[in-house]
Every structure is written in structure tokens, then in C-alpha cells.
Amino acid sequence: MTVLILYSTVTGKSLALSRRLSRILRDRNIPNFTARFGDWPSSFSLSPPSSGEGEGEAEGEAEGEAEAPTPATFLLHPLASSPLTLVVLLLSTSGSGSINPDLLPLYTSLLSPSLPPLLLAPSLSFTLFALGDRNYGGNFALAGRKLAGRLLQLGGGKAAEFGFGDERTEGGGVWRDFDEWVEGALKVELERRYGNGNGNGNVLYDNDNGDSMPKPKPKPKPWGSVDDGDPRVGGEGRGYEVRVFENEEGKGNGNNGNNGNNGNNGNGNGNGNGQQQQNHEGNLSLERYYASHIAPRNPLPFLEFSAVPLAPRNFDSRVVETAEGGGARSIPRGEAPRAEEARGRPVEMNVTGNERITAGGWYQDVRRITLSLPLEASSGAEASSGAEASASASASASGDISQPPPPPQSSLSYGPGDVLVVMPRNSPEAVQRLLDVLPEEINVLADKVIDVKRISQPGSVLPFWPRAGLTLREILTRFAAVTALPSREDLRSLAALIPRADRGGEQEQEQEQEQEQEQGDTEGKGSGSGSGSGSAATRGKIHFSKLLSLSGPSGSSLYLDYIVRERRVLSDVLGDFDTLGSCGSGSGDFTLSWLLGYLQLLRPREFSICSSRREDGGRSVEICVAVVRESTPLGRSYEGVCSSYLARCVPGGSGGSGSGGTRVKCWLQRGSFRVLGGEEFDLRPVLAIGAGTGVAPLRGVVRERGARGKEKGGVGGGNTLVFGCRRREMDYHYGEEWESLARNSKDNPGANAPFEIINAFSQEGRARVYVQSRLKDFDLVKHVVEDRGGIAIAGGSGMAKAVREEIVRLLAVGVFGGDEKKAEGLVRKMERRGFFAVEAWD
């Protein structure tokens, strides 16, 4: 028997929960395996795996006959096909109830009407913990509820009561809800399956192999014990083989891990075609790495023409590796790679505009960023200046060669309201702060070229790191989430680094943990460590106790005070708990391999496109970025990774050349307003409601519809924008544009698409005015019932919830005689057809 943990994530929270659950199960001697949805290939279709593929064989039929159906649970994972397996699903929800991209292919397959009702019976036994935010109302944890409902429809068995995690739960949010679910419903089921039935939860026997006599198991650890093994390998040892190269010998060595000797017949210096091929292998490895490990799931094709050339044009080889990272195909000289092979690889765009659109004295810095396709061939290095200059030079040296520019006749393939996915970089200061507090054995490797090979471990959730001749500093700058807030499981992993001899006895640890929880003295009074006093062993005992308190279920409020409210990252924790910095000395556990297992990959960020391809010619995009630079309650400064990165970007020349400007790696992703912004909706009106930077996708929809309406001589449905901000003179984003559109629509109704602006300035006047309160000034009943118009909402989740509730209330009063249940049914019907769409965030 085993427990299969399947997680679906965007931000990494479900991954952190899967690590926590895996560690708890491991401590109870319960075999478990962790995997992410989408990583198992069969989840993308209903076709059975061919003979010899995967972890099992499907029965085939005679040639020419239809293939036998796949065992349904193979759609989840091969391990799920055993009735002895307990499947635990950990699912987050994207935006307003959307299925995450990594789960979407499987979910779409399961919705096929041809599937028999009891497809999954009796083999699938599952339970679920779904994450969400109750601000989304009826869409709270909707992705998890949708999947669970469909699995039950298909005959899946519910093994334990489902759990739900709310970001707004007091005293710990999702983590508190998760711990309570594990200690409650899940623990009962685990004891029923694996225990001896006396309620103590001990795993005494394992009789999976059919032996007549049960086998004794080691005594399980207490539920709250500390795992001294690698935090993500399951206590089985190192997660990586790390090789360090002296000088520059490892630069551009691709992913083969050799000493850079890929030049001419083993000559390390290499020359001619040998050196060129070596550099290309490094480049191809990095591009393939982006496609396989960084790119968003299911990205849109970037360009309208069929493919993006993958290699420098002077490279002679015609073997192209696929974006999925498995295999290669030969293509005739001069033929472009297929679009699906290039889709996951980022396109580098030039920053050609970086303009602040909020008033200079306003507290919030909101920027209008313009990115354009390059018109000229790249020189091989990312053009940049200022803080990005050194990173650009090293990128060139490491073989990170830019793709050749797309043909001039090509254009971006985005539609109204679609999303630009941006790969950020950590600031040099953030990387240096981390390096400064790492053990000396790691710090001295900062500017050494390293090759990192992940050791294959079943069920491992260790990240893959690029093997393209990069230094440790480059990896931390470009690929590691060095400013991510440590999860509670991360803090437990840090506690395990402290040597057992320095931790004190178990009874002492328990007493000190209780003291910490009562006093609450880790709430961030400059340092939670008590460093600088007492012996190393004494301080190690204190640090171990505090880290354990912060990571435990009863330490939720301490964790919120110390980590969440004060925005402490790994470098801050290592600085406060400075005994951890000595855990790398000699035979200590704090090694480079451990660090790479602890860190997570830097996640690309999504920004709604606020431009119109029809108006801008299809060679550039605009995004609206609120730069995050804030202070904590105790005055600690922090900034957002991607917004501050974009704010630092230096704009280059106009017209797309971008000469002297920063280049940014990007992908495209489908947005929420494709139906409302599509041509088939042109004859119907659209009501767009947004606040703050939520106006970005709405601007894209309004401008695209306005451009099409203008081409048709003003014929088409009108556009009404209800926009909310604080003050007209401070943060009225694109205010002059809106006022101009409204005037032109009124003065020249036959030449321009109809447009109306309704503003809500919350800090002007005596009473607070918000977008939902301005809806009474719009004829919503006529818009929905008579004109069959659409509604688009964008902004914070709290605003989106309030607007939706007001729309339901107004429709109930105006159409259904006050019956909000019927009004809710109408809104849900509009949602299913795409006529009511929400793009919200926290």
C-alpha cells in the first residue's frame, strides 16, 4: 500500500503542502509518492500507453482494430490504478474559479461525454484538500470541487472527508486549515488503512506482498517530529551531484556535465565549428530548460507565422530538440521547426517604453511598460545597462544566445485581454544578501561555474536547475526564488540542519516550544534568534526550539508575525538564526546540494496586456505594472521581484529596435476576456468594471473593440467603463485617454465606436465611492436583458466579489422581483457562455 500525492499549483503553495504531507507520512513509515499533475504523459489524452511504455502495459488489439481503453486511473498516474493506493489531491484554484494549466488537460479529458459512468470504479480511492479564497464567493476552491465532483461521477471512491483551505482563515490561513485536516479526517483514514485499529496511529505491519505473516515495521516517529534527511528527497541522501569548474572552463558546456571539452576532438579550448557547436549546445540547453521547467503550462503561440527559429542562423546543424525535452527530430535545411516545438520557448522582447503614469508625489508607482519584437539580429548578449549590465555580459559568456529576430512580416498572436508572462530576475542586492549569510564553503563558490545534476529519486519534488555553464550567482539571479517567503515546512527543514548534539533533550525542546508559544517573542523584534549570547551549543538549542515552534501547527500566529507580516526571506532567517551559517563547516549538512534542494525555481509573473494588436500593428505589447515597494509594520522595506525588475528596465530605441535597452524573456497566455473581446461579440455592448491596475485587460478589450467599430464607421455595440481609483489627479490610469474617447464618441457618433466612462474616486468628497456603488448610474437591466450585453470585471478579489454581489442584487430587484437566487442563476448562465468574465487577484 502507498499514498500517492498529486498536486496542482501556480504559485507553489500546493507544492509546499505536498512536501509537508510527504514528510508526515514518511515519519509514520507510510510509503508515499509525490507528483505534479501534467507530469505524467498519459494525463494528456485518453489513449493507452503503447506496450513497454510507462509503468505498466495496456492490452493491445489486433492491427487495424480500435485500441483498448486506457485503465482510467492511468489518467491520474500509474500508481493510482491500484486499489491499495490512497490518492491525495492537493489543488489550488486560479483566479476566479479557473482550473490550473497543469490540471486542465486531464480535467478536459475527464469531461468527455463518451466516458462510462463507473469508469473509475472500483480502483480509485481518493481524498482532496482544495485551496482558495472565500472572497471569490461561490468560486471558492472551485477547481478542487470540480475535479472531485467529476471523479465521483465516474465511480471514484471518497476515502476521507474533503478539506478546504482558506487564505483568510485567522491564525494561519491555508496552513492552519491543512494541519487541522491532516490531524483530523486524513489521520483517521490513515489509521484505518495502516494502523492496528487501536487509535494510536502506529504503523505496525505491511502485508502488501501477500505473505501469510505480517512484517514488523520500525517504530514510527511522533506526528510532530523533525526529519533529519534532505528536505525534498525523502531522507535518502543528496539530491544533486554538483561539479565546480575552475576559471571559465565550464562555460557553454550545455547539459552534458563535462569539463567544457566539447570543442575540436576533445581540445578544451576548441575552435571553429567545434567551439560554435559547444556554444550552441549551451544555448539550446538553456532554451530547452526554459521550455521544460519555467514556461507556463499551455502557452499560446507567440507569433502568427508558423514557428520561431530556435538556433542562430549561422548554426549548421538541423537537429532540433522538442520543447517537451524528450527526443529530437531532423528537419530539412531551410525548414522552420514546427510551432509546437517552439511554443514553450521564451521570446526575448525589447523594452521600448517605461513611463510612470501616476503623479510624481503619489505613494504608488504605476508604470506603463512597452515591449517590442526586435527588428535587428541579436549580437549574442542581452542588451542592457545599469544594474543589468554585468548579468548581460555573463549571459553572453554562458552561451545564452538570443534567438534570431522573427521575420518583419510576423505579428504577435495575442487577443484582447490576453496575458504576457514575464521571466524576472532577482536584484543583485538580494542575491548578495543571501550569499553573505551562507556558509563560507558555499559563499566562495559564488562566481564559480557549476554543473548541477539532479539525482533521480522516485517521487522527488526537487527542482531541476539549468546545466548550461552558469555560475552559482547567475543561477541565483536568474532561476532561484531567493526572495520567496519560507513556508513552515521550509523552517522545519532549516531546524533539521542544527546538529542533534546542539538541540538539547526532547523534554527541554517541548518546554521551550511551549514557552515560545505563550510568550510570542518571535514576532520580529529585530531578531528571533537571540544571537550573540551564550555558547554555540546553547544558541543552537534556542534556534532549534524557535524554528520548530514557527513550523508547527500550534505556531501559526508566530509564523504570521515573524515571516508573513514582516516579509522575512531566507537571507533574513539565516541572519537571525546565525548558527545555521556554521552548519556547513566540516561535515555539516548545509551544503550547496542542500541549498539547491531547499530553493524553489523563480516563477514567471503574469501581466494582463492592455494594448490592442489592431491599433498597435502587432509588433509590441503594453502592460500596466504597479511597482511593489513597501514597508512592514516594523519598518522593514521589501519589494516585488518582477515589478521592481521591470521598473529597472532601461527602454531602448523606438520602433522595436530597442537599441541599448533591456531584453525580457516572455510568453503569451490566454486571458479571461476572449469571448467579450472577440469579433463575434462586436454587435453587443460590453460593460467593463475595474479598479486600479485592473483596468489593464479592460483597456485591451475596449481599444480592440473600438478599433474594429471605427473601421466599420461606428457600427457595433457600445463600451462602458466603470473605473475606480483614489484620486483623479493622482492615480486615474489612462484618464486622458478615457475622457478623449468619451468626447469623440459623443461628438462624432457615426465615426467612432460608442464609449462612456463612469468614474469612482474613493478619496474625493465626503463619502467613499466605489465602483459597485456607481452601478446604480448604469441601466444594468437593459444591458443584460434587452441588449444581451456582456460584463467584464478586473481587479482585486475583494472588489470583484463586491461588484458581482451588487450585480446579482440589481438584477434580482430589476428582473426577478427581488429573488436573488434566480438572479444568481442568470449570472451563472452568462459565466458559462463567457458573457460574464472575471479576472481577479489577491
Side-chain angles (χ1 to χ4, degrees), residues 9-10 36 94-95 98-105 294-303 343-344 349 412-422 603-610 621 623 666-674 697 839:
T9 190
V10 173
R36 183 178 181 180
S94 295
S98 301
I99 302 291
N100 289 340
D102 56 2
L103 177 60
L104 188 60
I294 302 292
R297 302 292 176 112
N298 311 319
L300 293 172
F302 213 92
L303 304 172
R343 182 173 296 184
M349 300 190 73
L412 295 165
S413 63
Y414 73 90
D418 280 350
V419 175
L420 187 74
V421 184
V422 175
R603 180 175 55 87
R605 283 8 184 222
E606 300 175 357
F607 295 91
S608 297
I609 296 173
C610 61
V621 295
I623 55 177
C666 306
W667 296 265
L668 286 175
Q669 205 165 36
R670 187 178 298 275
S672 305
F673 304 127
R674 273 294 182 100
E839 188 165 293

Side-chain angles (χ1 to χ4, degrees), residues 84 134 163 209 369 407 419 430 527 599 638 642 686 756 766:
L84 298 176
R134 294 196 185 275
N209 56 9
I369 307 287
V419 175
S527 170
L599 293 169
Y638 68 94
C642 196
V686 167
E756 179 185 3
R766 294 184 177 180

Side-chain angles (χ1 to χ4, degrees), residues 629-705:
R629 292 193 186 102
E630 298 182 14
S631 298
T632 68
L634 294 179
R636 295 167 46 83
S637 299
Y638 68 94
E639 62 181 21
V641 174
C642 196
S643 63
S644 59
Y645 164 69
L646 290 171
R648 295 194 304 270
C649 287
V650 179
S654 60
S657 66
S659 176
T662 308
R663 301 188 108 178
V664 178
K665 294 184 183 296
C666 306
W667 296 265
L668 286 175
Q669 205 165 36
R670 187 178 298 275
S672 305
F673 304 127
R674 273 294 182 100
V675 173
L676 299 177
E679 290 193 42
E680 63 278 6
F681 214 82
D682 277 354
L683 297 180
R684 299 186 183 189
V686 167
L687 170 63
I689 307 166
T693 56
V695 77
L698 305 180
R699 180 175 181 258
V701 172
V702 167
R703 291 189 67 189
E704 184 73 11
R705 283 171 51 85

Side-chain angles (χ1 to χ4, degrees), residues 224-252:
S225 62
V226 175
D227 177 14
D228 286 317
D230 188 288
R232 303 209 175 108
V233 186
E236 299 178 14
R238 295 178 304 158
Y240 299 93
E241 289 179 358
V242 181
R243 299 183 62 190
V244 180
F245 297 88
E246 296 299 327
N247 302 322
E248 297 293 307
E249 63 176 338
K251 285 286 186 181

Side-chain angles (χ1 to χ4, degrees), residues 516-680:
E516 288 293 331
Q517 291 156 16
E518 290 174 1
Q519 296 174 356
D521 61 357
T522 49
E523 60 183 351
K525 300 175 182 177
S527 170
S529 67
S531 59
S533 61
S535 67
T538 301
R539 288 165 51 233
K541 182 172 66 173
I542 295 172
H543 291 179
F544 178 79
S545 175
K546 290 189 175 183
L547 286 169
L548 212 56
S549 297
L550 287 164
S551 66
S554 59
S556 297
S557 59
L558 302 179
Y559 175 81
L560 285 174
D561 286 337
Y562 180 68
I563 295 292
V564 179
R565 294 193 178 101
E566 286 303 305
R567 312 296 297 182
R568 284 187 169 89
V569 300
L570 177 60
S571 58
D572 299 318
V573 175
L574 293 178
D576 285 350
F577 296 85
D578 56 356
T579 53
L580 292 170
S582 62
C583 293
S585 301
S587 60
D589 293 328
F590 200 158
T591 63
L592 180 54
S593 176
W594 189 96
L595 176 67
L596 294 171
Y598 172 94
L599 293 169
Q600 283 296 305
L601 294 177
L602 183 60
R603 180 175 55 87
R605 283 8 184 222
E606 300 175 357
F607 295 91
S608 297
I609 296 173
C610 61
S611 53
S612 161
R613 186 175 62 164
R614 188 176 298 266
E615 284 191 348
D616 299 335
R619 297 285 297 183
S620 65
V621 295
E622 288 184 16
I623 55 177
C624 184
V625 180
V627 183
V628 178
R629 292 193 186 102
E630 298 182 14
S631 298
T632 68
L634 294 179
R636 295 167 46 83
S637 299
Y638 68 94
E639 62 181 21
V641 174
C642 196
S643 63
S644 59
Y645 164 69
L646 290 171
R648 295 194 304 270
C649 287
V650 179
S654 60
S657 66
S659 176
T662 308
R663 301 188 108 178
V664 178
K665 294 184 183 296
C666 306
W667 296 265
L668 286 175
Q669 205 165 36
R670 187 178 298 275
S672 305
F673 304 127
R674 273 294 182 100
V675 173
L676 299 177
E679 290 193 42
E680 63 278 6

